[in-house]
Amino acid sequence: MTGDRAGDYRILHEAALRDYLAGVADLKALLGGDPASWAITEVGDGNLNLVFIVKGARGGIAVKQALPYVRLVGESWPLPLSRAHYEYLALSRQAELAPGLVPALLHHNEKLALTVMELLEPHIIMRKGLVAAAQYPRFADDITTFMARTLFFTSDLALSAAEKKEGIAAFAGNHALCKITEDLIFTDPYRIAEQNRWTAPYLDGLAASLRDDLELHVAISRLKLKFMASPEALLHGDLHTGSIMVTDGQTRVIDPEFAFYGPMGFDVGAVLANLLMAYFASAGHERTLGERQAFEAWVLETIEKVWTGFARKFLDLWRAGAEGDAYPRSLFPGETGAARLEAERQAYMQRLFADAIGFAAAKIIRRIFGLAHNIDFELIEDPRKRALSEARAVRLARAMMVETGTFRTIADVTVAARKLRDWQPELTG
Ligand code: SR1
Ligand code: MG
């Protein structure tokens, strides 16, 4: 189906959306029946946009429209509509690189900042499933394929320098979304900021200690610089478990509106961080001992599979014939050259692992002390229990950020997480 640049921006609520969709022949046919009978429901529970599910006699679609402001906060925080353009561009590229792992694009209207996608049914937002202690057997394999392919094939390992720079340029305008990350993840949780919040009074002391912790401030500042100044590959940019839809047998990555060229470890770290938060939150949720143990064991196993699977697939792509301008083959001739290049590949992955660990830590801390929290912790009703889970996660996150080098393998992370599972932190209040 074709895109459409016609018309000025306006927010499409139900009636206007119905008229709009009825005017797009392909979508009208896909939905089927009389447009007046279409069921339209606004289901957006993210922080930024409107999302509608539209169902007709024949089929259904998902419609996403960017608002000119941050939905979570309101009109006082304007945000460019151009993010819908970057999201569409990223989804198109991801569909080429990781077919079947993103929703099919059906229609895009640049002026309305509106994108229509296939309706993912019966998929649910993975985070909601994790809160219910669900396990997703295909997830590790699918997400590692997604990350390995989207990151490798948009990097200098696979592209010519010219192609790579064209890619950077295509996403360079998405800086307002990068700025949200720069502020909310890499800065605000470590200083007094109006929008910060945490589980008070229990975490008041921990929040204050974060603001005084200069070793942590150095570590987060290094990560911020890496985020700002390392255009290694096209990132999803917000790859948390709320940006992934799942069934037992399928995984779809959605919502890449934060896409830009940045450090690969940021995407990998996002996945690891969100699994770690699901692990620490588990102790606070009402579930039987058996359910809890099975879920927590699965989460830790999945964390290990996410790194090992990603690293294996990424290296396989690199070894299989990388055509990019980085590491020219002519510099590594013969058997000795091949052996030296392989050693360098291992060193590259070790650096990428360290980046992922640091970024994962940053992602955990922002969800506990910053503006945007997640339901893994938020749905723990008893604030004391919630604070216990959060304090354990923060203890691990600080170590991952400040003592990154002590985590040499992903098992070092899962072992440390397991040790903290029943740790009793001192809480304030
Ligand atoms: C103001 S936007 C807050 C957060 O929502 C998105 O999902 C991103 O994670 C962003 O940081
Ligand atoms: Mg999102």
Side-chain angles (χ1 to χ4, degrees):
M1 293 186 192
T2 54
D4 179 4
R5 299 184 71 92
D8 290 328
Y9 180 82
R10 62 204 187 279
I11 295 173
L12 295 184
H13 294 296
E14 185 183 324
L17 180 63
R18 189 184 304 277
D19 289 349
Y20 178 80
L21 296 173
V24 181
D26 290 345
L27 295 177
K28 186 174 181 220
L30 190 158
L31 287 163
D34 180 356
S37 70
W38 295 343
I40 302 184
T41 320
E42 207 280 314
V43 295
D45 60 359
N47 296 325
L48 301 181
N49 309 293
L50 291 174
V51 181
F52 296 90
I53 288 178
V54 184
K55 287 188 177 176
R58 187 173 300 130
I61 55 176
V63 182
K64 179 168 178 178
Q65 186 180 35
L67 291 166
Y69 51 84
V70 173
R71 179 177 184 163
L72 175 69
V73 174
E75 293 181 39
S76 61
W77 186 345
L79 199 60
L81 297 170
S82 59
R83 65 185 189 275
H85 162 82
Y86 296 110
E87 175 164 359
Y88 178 71
L89 208 59
L91 272 173
S92 308
R93 191 81 183 99
Q94 290 162 352
E96 293 165 7
L97 297 174
L101 293 175
V102 293
L105 286 164
L106 303 177
H107 174 82
H108 179 67
N109 184 313
E110 195 87 5
K111 289 261 175 73
L112 286 172
L114 175 140
T115 303
V116 181
M117 288 160 275
E118 74 170 300
L119 179 60
L120 294 172
E121 231 176 16
H123 305 64
I124 64 163
I125 293 288
M126 185 177 178
R127 196 189 295 290
K128 293 183 181 170
L130 296 180
V131 168
Q135 300 175 25
Y136 295 102
R138 276 225 53 79
F139 172 70
D141 194 29
D142 285 344
I143 200 68
T144 52
T145 298
F146 176 84
M147 293 194 297
R149 294 186 62 83
T150 58
L151 297 176
F152 178 82
F153 285 115
T154 59
S155 78
D156 292 288
L157 300 171
L159 299 177
S160 71
E163 288 168 326
K164 171 76 184 320
K165 285 173 177 63
E166 296 285 346
I168 295 171
F171 285 87
N174 205 17
H175 47 75
L177 279 282
C178 292
K179 176 83 170 111
I180 288 180
T181 301
E182 288 149 19
D183 291 342
L184 296 191
I185 298 184
F186 295 109
T187 314
D188 285 354
Y190 307 88
R191 65 180 179 185
I192 292 185
E194 203 184 321
Q195 302 187 106
N196 285 347
R197 65 185 178 86
W198 54 83
T199 305
Y202 301 108
L203 296 188
D204 287 354
L206 196 49
S209 77
L210 254 53
R211 296 196 294 270
D212 291 341
D213 187 339
L214 289 181
E215 291 315 306
L216 195 60
H217 293 192
V218 168
I220 194 66
S221 298
R222 286 183 185 165
L223 289 163
K224 181 176 183 179
L225 179 62
K226 190 160 277 175
F227 177 82
M228 295 168 78
S230 309
E232 293 174 350
L234 176 60
L235 306 190
H236 176 283
D238 198 24
L239 195 47
H240 55 77
T241 47
S243 296
I244 299 168
M245 295 190 72
V246 281
T247 64
D248 280 353
Q250 289 192 356
T251 310
R252 296 285 184 275
V253 176
I254 63 170
D255 277 359
E257 65 209 303
F258 285 77
F260 81 115
Y261 274 71
M264 300 185 194
F266 188 74
D267 272 3
V268 182
V271 175
L272 297 175
N274 281 273
L275 292 170
L276 283 167
M277 286 189 277
Y279 174 77
F280 284 111
S282 174
H285 291 295
E286 293 299 326
R287 44 189 69 153
T288 66
L289 183 63
E291 273 171 352
R292 207 171 76 191
Q293 286 173 339
F295 175 72
E296 291 170 12
W298 175 79
V299 174
L300 291 183
E301 187 191 335
T302 302
I303 288 170
E304 293 182 1
K305 284 184 181 169
V306 164
W307 173 257
T308 55
F310 165 74
R312 179 174 44 78
K313 290 175 188 180
F314 190 94
L315 280 168
D316 283 350
L317 292 170
W318 192 349
R319 291 178 188 129
E323 298 296 336
D325 279 347
Y327 294 100
R329 278 168 188 271
S330 52
L331 297 192
F332 298 95
E335 273 186 29
T336 319
R340 186 65 191 87
L341 180 56
E342 181 55 24
E344 173 56 11
R345 289 191 190 108
Q346 299 296 333
Y348 179 104
M349 295 312 288
Q350 200 61 45
R351 291 195 295 272
L352 178 42
F353 178 70
D355 287 356
I357 295 303
F359 286 124
K363 292 259 180 183
I364 291 172
I365 290 174
R366 66 78 57 108
R367 293 289 182 200
I368 296 171
F369 297 100
L371 166 72
H373 288 223
N374 59 35
I375 58 168
D376 310 59
F377 292 128
E378 294 294 285
L379 287 184
I380 301 173
E381 270 178 43
D382 177 343
R384 199 163 192 289
K385 276 192 188 167
R386 189 190 323 136
L388 278 176
S389 286
E390 291 172 329
R392 291 171 186 142
V394 172
R395 171 105 164 191
L396 178 62
R398 189 192 180 278
M400 287 164 64
M401 203 190 289
V402 174
E403 299 153 25
T404 312
T406 64
F407 296 89
R408 299 295 298 165
T409 68
I410 192 66
D412 292 337
V413 177
T414 53
V415 166
R418 206 176 278 115
K419 279 188 189 153
L420 285 166
R421 165 67 177 69
D422 296 312
W423 175 59
Q424 295 299 319
E426 269 188 36
L427 301 175
T428 331

